Amino acid sequence: MENKKEKTKVSELVWLFVIGCLVGFVLETLWHFFKNGEWINKQGLLYGPFKPIYGFGLIFVVLVMNNYREKKFWQKFIIGVILGSAFEYFGSLFQEYIFGTSTWNYSHFNFNIGGRIYLPYCLAWGVIAVFCVDVIYPLFKKLINKVNKKFYKITTIIIAIFMIINVSLTALASIRYSDRANNNAATNTVFKVIDELYPDEYMQVKFPKMKVITK
């Protein structure tokens, strides 16, 4: 019988992050199209169709929810609502205060808290959490167990290095995007290079929904 509380390996976290990023990008792109009738770039990293908030969210949900897989559906649903809502709320705070930017704001909807979380989406987090821990993660485990070990190890290392660089560059570019809007000059060589590689025009095209918070 499968151990329901089996520990998640670091290599699995890498792929869960990738899967979450990809699925998040697809879902947000399709949702925006069906809602507004237009295609828009919804990527959250500089390179590739990835939304990191969903990647980190999937890792967070799996790590925590894995301890409650034996609970009843409604119990897991409530835990998922609380976890997902807290993650989205503090994720919004983190982005605002660390990077000086904002990607989502629910202030124009009823039943929102500080514009950071929105009740229908909180409930959706509950469903997603149960689906991830009961369906996605077990299926994911079965699939990776069938992959050639050497191939799995090599590709995991490559994708991990790529994602670390991608996330780091995106973080630096976002910080400088906000700093420039607040008239803060680059104070070191790294920031000067970032300014040259990722100017405002580039960031506006790459992240059309990202809002800079001016002080």
Side-chain angles (χ1 to χ4, degrees):
M1 184 176 180
E2 183 182 359
N3 183 1
K4 293 183 177 298
K5 295 184 179 181
E6 182 180 356
K7 291 184 178 180
T8 305
K9 299 176 182 178
V10 174
S11 61
E12 294 173 357
L13 297 181
V14 172
W15 288 107
L16 285 173
F17 179 74
V18 172
I19 292 171
C21 287
L22 288 170
V23 171
F25 171 80
V26 171
L27 289 178
E28 284 213 3
T29 299
L30 292 177
W31 174 251
H32 185 87
F33 175 75
F34 289 126
K35 183 179 179 181
N36 302 290
E38 64 174 352
W39 294 106
I40 190 172
N41 186 4
K42 300 291 287 185
Q43 70 187 87
L45 294 177
L46 288 169
Y47 302 104
F50 305 112
K51 292 286 289 186
I53 184 67
Y54 291 92
F56 289 119
L58 180 57
I59 289 176
F60 178 67
V61 166
V62 167
L63 287 178
V64 179
M65 290 293 292
N66 224 21
N67 297 313
Y68 303 100
R69 289 179 62 186
E70 297 180 14
K71 299 290 185 181
K72 295 180 180 179
F73 173 85
W74 67 269
Q75 293 174 314
K76 290 185 287 188
F77 173 78
I78 292 176
I79 294 172
V81 169
I82 295 172
L83 288 176
S85 301
F87 180 82
E88 187 172 19
Y89 187 90
F90 288 105
S92 174
L93 279 176
F94 181 83
Q95 180 182 1
E96 179 178 334
Y97 288 104
I98 299 300
F99 303 122
T101 60
S102 175
T103 307
W104 66 92
N105 190 315
Y106 304 125
S107 298
H108 54 293
F109 292 123
N110 294 322
F111 308 111
N112 77 84
I113 298 180
R116 303 184 190 281
I117 57 176
Y118 171 48
L119 181 58
Y121 292 167
C122 293
L123 299 178
W125 271 112
V127 176
I128 291 171
V130 176
F131 184 72
C132 285
V133 77
D134 285 353
V135 179
I136 297 296
Y137 186 58
L139 178 60
F140 166 74
K141 292 280 286 187
K142 290 179 181 179
L143 289 176
I144 63 174
N145 286 332
K146 295 180 180 180
V147 177
N148 177 273
K149 301 296 182 183
K150 186 175 182 179
F151 175 78
Y152 175 72
K153 182 178 181 180
I154 293 174
T155 54
T156 299
I157 292 174
I158 293 174
I159 196 67
I161 293 173
F162 169 73
M163 280 300 185
I164 290 173
I165 294 174
N166 202 2
V167 170
S168 299
L169 285 175
T170 303
L172 290 172
S174 297
I175 290 173
R176 284 304 302 151
Y177 187 33
S178 175
D179 283 347
R180 290 193 298 270
N182 287 284
N183 299 313
N184 296 322
T187 56
N188 56 57
T189 303
V190 173
F191 281 163
K192 289 178 181 178
V193 172
I194 291 295
D195 284 352
E196 292 181 6
L197 293 175
Y198 311 110
D200 290 349
E201 297 77 14
Y202 181 93
M203 296 294 286
Q204 289 163 3
V205 172
K206 185 66 69 170
F207 307 117
K209 288 294 184 178
M210 180 185 290
K211 305 298 181 184
V212 174
I213 299 172
T214 55
K215 301 175 183 178

